[in-house]
Amino acid sequence: GEDGPTHEPIEHLASYRCMPNCSIFRPADAREVAAAYVYGLGHAGPTLLALSRQNLPLYEGTGIQALKGAYVLEDCEGMPDVILIGTGSELELCVKAAQMLRAQGTAVRIVSMPSMEVFLRQDVDYQQSVLPPACRARVGVEAGSSFGWRAIVGDAGELVCIDHFGGSAPAAKLFEAYGFTAENVVGKAKTSMQRA
């Protein structure tokens, strides 16, 4: 980010996710923040909220569902061609990419995943209702290390993450330089669909 080498926390989320019984929430909007607080008040272990200073939209359909760690934000008819999975501020990239893919005739499901570990604690039936095994084309989008994401996207999935330290520049310029754009998410979706 703009603070340069003193503020390149690409490993923080992955590090906290390694801690036993720790729940990390990266909410995409104010309603998911509220759900994360509710979760934290009722959970026996530590709960960490990774919040953004960015101006983010308020989405239709967010809220209490975030208590399960992940949920379907927008769906399509029948089985999706690809599932776009976003956390925090990157959910906006999934929403924009889905609009572009739908305009090209692609059936897209958008999943908001504010808490990977809480989602992975849900029963298998719920996990598969959100991420059906029949849809192997998936894209995970998070401005952090890709560590741990392969369990979510599978072997045919693609990732828009960052596994190297960044640079010092305005966030918008860095996001574009490192592929955090709707256009790149669309490209990754097409690659995953070909692989699946």
Side-chain angles (χ1 to χ4, degrees):
E2 295 183 54
D3 298 324
T6 62
H7 189 70
E8 296 177 343
I10 62 164
E11 77 287 355
H12 284 186
L13 296 170
S15 298
Y16 290 123
R17 285 174 181 149
C18 291
M19 293 183 184
N21 207 31
C22 184
S23 301
I24 297 86
F25 275 84
R26 194 153 177 260
D29 69 6
R31 285 190 284 257
E32 285 193 357
V33 171
Y37 270 103
V38 169
Y39 181 90
L41 291 171
H43 181 62
T47 301
L48 183 146
L49 276 63
L51 305 178
S52 175
R53 295 185 305 176
Q54 296 169 248
N55 292 323
L56 299 174
L58 190 64
Y59 297 99
E60 288 294 326
T62 57
I64 199 74
Q65 305 93 313
L67 292 172
K68 292 201 170 194
Y71 60 96
V72 178
L73 179 69
E74 291 182 14
D75 212 353
C76 58
E77 289 188 22
M79 185 62 62
D81 296 322
V82 65
I83 302 173
L84 306 181
I85 310 158
T87 71
S89 53
E90 285 77 69
L91 185 63
E92 187 174 12
L93 294 178
C94 293
V95 170
K96 289 178 179 177
Q99 292 169 349
M100 296 165 69
L101 286 163
R102 287 172 181 148
Q104 299 169 13
T106 305
V108 182
R109 171 179 287 186
I110 303 172
V111 169
S112 178
M113 186 170 287
S115 181
M116 184 185 296
E117 3 2 281
V118 172
F119 175 69
L120 292 174
R121 289 182 203 136
Q122 303 303 316
D123 61 67
V124 173
D125 287 345
Y126 179 75
Q127 290 182 34
Q128 292 185 353
S129 74
V130 176
L131 300 175
C135 182
R136 296 177 61 236
R138 303 174 184 179
V139 182
V141 187
E142 183 171 66
S145 169
S146 64
F147 182 82
W149 270 97
R150 194 52 60 186
I152 302 297
V153 300
D155 59 351
E158 286 286 318
L159 294 168
V160 179
C161 296
I162 182 168
D163 289 317
H164 57 82
F165 289 116
S168 182
K173 289 187 177 181
L174 288 177
F175 264 47
E176 186 172 350
Y178 297 140
F180 289 92
T181 64
E183 291 78 10
N184 189 39
V185 174
V186 168
K188 296 283 188 177
K190 291 179 178 179
T191 298
S192 185
M193 285 187 288
Q194 289 172 353
R195 185 179 298 134

